[in-house]
Amino acid sequence: MTKIRVLVADDHPLITQGLANELKPFGIEEVEAVADGTQVLSRYAAARPDVLVLDLRIGPVRGLDVARELFAKRPDARIVFYSQFDQDHIVREAY
């Protein structure tokens, strides 16, 4: 079975560690965790993950802005968003 490689971008270490532990039994491997939103794009380019798991707010940086920049450079990128925000306009923007 081919492992799915993910880059997790979140500024809370407990979240990234917990996520990595929960995904591992499903053959999903965390290749790296990025806690600084300004470093997501460079770490994505270096790690070349299958999927980016991206918090909608990673420190002072908006995950949606990171996603727009990533899609401009890599239209084939795959991103899974997650967040504590439940406002409809933010969810619609993520779609």
Side-chain angles (χ1 to χ4, degrees):
M1 172 175 16
T2 303
K3 286 193 177 207
I4 297 171
R5 300 173 65 250
V6 300
L7 172 67
V8 179
D10 190 297
D11 56 338
H12 296 95
L14 189 58
I15 297 296
T16 58
Q17 291 168 0
L19 187 58
N21 289 337
E22 292 299 317
L23 294 175
K24 194 176 292 187
F26 298 98
I28 301 172
E29 172 189 13
E30 178 188 80
V31 292
E32 187 173 350
V34 179
D36 182 340
T38 64
Q39 295 179 356
V40 174
L41 296 177
S42 64
R43 299 311 313 146
Y44 182 93
R48 298 178 160 240
D50 299 310
V51 178
L52 170 62
V53 176
L54 179 62
D55 190 1
L56 286 177
R57 182 165 316 224
I58 178 164
V61 176
R62 283 177 24 111
L64 294 171
D65 294 335
V66 171
R68 279 189 196 90
E69 286 185 55
L70 179 57
F71 282 136
K73 295 176 182 181
R74 297 285 311 266
D76 62 334
R78 296 177 184 162
I79 301 175
V80 174
F81 292 105
Y82 71 100
S83 181
Q84 66 184 2
F85 298 108
D86 64 353
Q87 292 93 352
D88 290 343
H89 71 281
I90 294 174
V91 173
R92 277 192 298 277
E93 191 176 352
Y95 277 109

